[in-house]
Amino acid sequence: DGNNYSCAYDALFTMLFNILQKKNWKKNQESNQYLSTLCDGFQKYLMGVSTLEAACDSVQAILYENDPVLFPSGHTGCSVSALTTQMFYPEYRVPQLHPQCSHCNHTIMINSNCVGRLMHVAHSATGSISQILESHMHHQSQQVCGNCNAPLETTIHSSETHKIYAVDVTDRNVTLRRTVKIQGPVCVTTLHLKGLVYHGGYHFTCQIVDESGNIWFHDGMTTGRISIKDGKFGTVSQPNLKKCRNKRLCLVIYRHRS
């Protein structure tokens, strides 16, 4: 709006509202105070007792109160990556890192508050999102075994597979896939592409992918409360997915269907 630069909030929250609207995504144990507050606002809007702007403003106010540097008000915007990190940060189910020796199989279990539901793709990474995500969940550590000095291989474990996952692909050469798979504590979970965020000219926009693979473009400044159909996944080329109306892809979000 004219008083606060809120396009990062608009792009991310538009996609989250779409997930809530289609799946009745209510608060659960994975929610932190920001996500819980947003879900409450969405529910009030769907009941006709509040507005979407009020839902966004309530979260923005809490973020500003807790960290006015990362989430300023007025004519200074915030990073959509920083916003996603806070919105998706697991408060109750803290992931565990399992560094295991590649030689003697010595294993260490570490509760980690550094592993959230946003993955940053390394500059050197290439290939598909699925391949990069698999490497992220199981990778060689810079640490060495205390028993035999061999390299440690780290696996990320959670007590329950994340139902939503975001990947920061800013300036990265990656191939998008409609689905990705994450190994959970018991079985493999399939996550489906739900949204793409673009950035350029100090402004964020987004595209929403529905269950049929249709792509819908949204820009709070130009489309307002509506989204415009912009093709279908599988018929839009990879280069065109990575660029939208002179803005470049910076974030993708995957979600479990159940």
Side-chain angles (χ1 to χ4, degrees):
D1 57 45
N3 297 320
N4 292 289
Y5 286 1
S6 57
C7 57
Y9 299 90
D10 182 76
L12 181 62
F13 293 175
T14 294
M15 290 188 292
L16 292 182
F17 176 73
N18 183 67
I19 294 171
L20 173 65
Q21 190 177 39
K22 299 297 183 183
K23 293 298 176 185
N24 195 27
W25 185 32
K26 296 181 180 180
K27 290 188 298 183
N28 54 61
Q29 284 188 318
E30 289 188 19
S31 299
N32 56 40
Q33 64 170 324
Y34 310 119
L35 196 54
S36 296
T37 300
L38 185 65
C39 286
D40 281 341
F42 285 168
Q43 293 292 345
K44 290 176 182 178
Y45 169 77
L46 292 174
M47 291 187 294
V49 296
S50 188
T51 65
L52 290 174
E53 289 79 8
C56 177
D57 290 345
S58 61
V59 178
Q60 193 170 359
I62 299 173
L63 286 163
Y64 172 75
E65 181 180 355
N66 290 342
D67 194 333
V69 176
L70 270 182
F71 305 103
S73 62
H75 288 186
T76 303
C78 76
S79 158
V80 77
S81 180
L83 178 61
T84 304
T85 297
Q86 293 299 317
M87 296 300 299
F88 290 177
Y89 190 78
E91 186 165 293
Y92 297 101
R93 296 191 177 102
V94 177
Q96 287 185 335
L97 300 181
H98 288 203
Q100 183 177 41
C101 178
S102 56
H103 179 68
C104 70
N105 292 327
H106 175 63
T107 302
I108 309 168
M109 288 191 297
I110 305 170
N111 287 330
S112 175
N113 60 0
C114 298
V115 180
R117 285 173 277 183
L118 171 67
M119 179 187 74
H120 294 270
V121 177
H123 281 281
S124 58
T126 57
S128 69
I129 291 289
S130 296
Q131 294 168 329
I132 294 170
L133 189 56
E134 183 178 351
S135 297
H136 172 71
M137 293 298 181
H138 183 85
H139 60 275
Q140 184 167 313
S141 171
Q142 295 180 345
Q143 297 174 305
V144 295
C145 178
N147 289 346
C148 67
N149 214 39
L152 293 177
E153 293 181 351
T154 299
T155 303
I156 299 174
H157 288 268
S158 292
S159 59
E160 183 175 310
T161 302
H162 297 318
K163 292 181 173 64
I164 189 166
Y165 213 87
V167 185
D168 186 331
V169 295
T170 305
D171 297 326
R172 301 296 188 266
N173 182 26
V174 298
T175 302
L176 298 181
R177 292 284 183 262
R178 179 81 187 280
T179 60
V180 298
K181 296 182 185 296
I182 294 182
Q183 177 64 55
V186 178
C187 61
V188 174
T189 299
T190 300
L191 304 180
H192 297 258
L193 180 64
K194 301 300 296 182
L196 308 98
V197 179
Y198 299 85
H199 180 255
Y202 303 100
H203 185 58
F204 291 100
T205 61
C206 71
Q207 292 200 118
I208 301 161
V209 183
D210 65 22
E211 293 185 3
S212 299
N214 297 310
I215 299 172
W216 301 84
F217 172 75
H218 177 84
D219 179 351
M221 291 182 65
T222 60
T223 66
R225 292 198 173 198
I226 67 171
S227 298
I228 301 171
K229 190 173 180 182
D230 209 26
K232 189 165 186 175
F233 197 92
T235 62
V236 179
S237 68
Q238 287 287 327
N240 286 337
L241 283 173
K242 295 175 186 177
K243 193 173 183 180
C244 178
R245 292 166 171 79
N246 296 318
K247 291 176 174 49
R248 295 188 178 278
L249 181 66
C250 62
L251 186 82
V252 293
I253 294 179
Y254 286 85
R255 174 77 162 94
H256 190 245
R257 278 185 171 173
S258 63

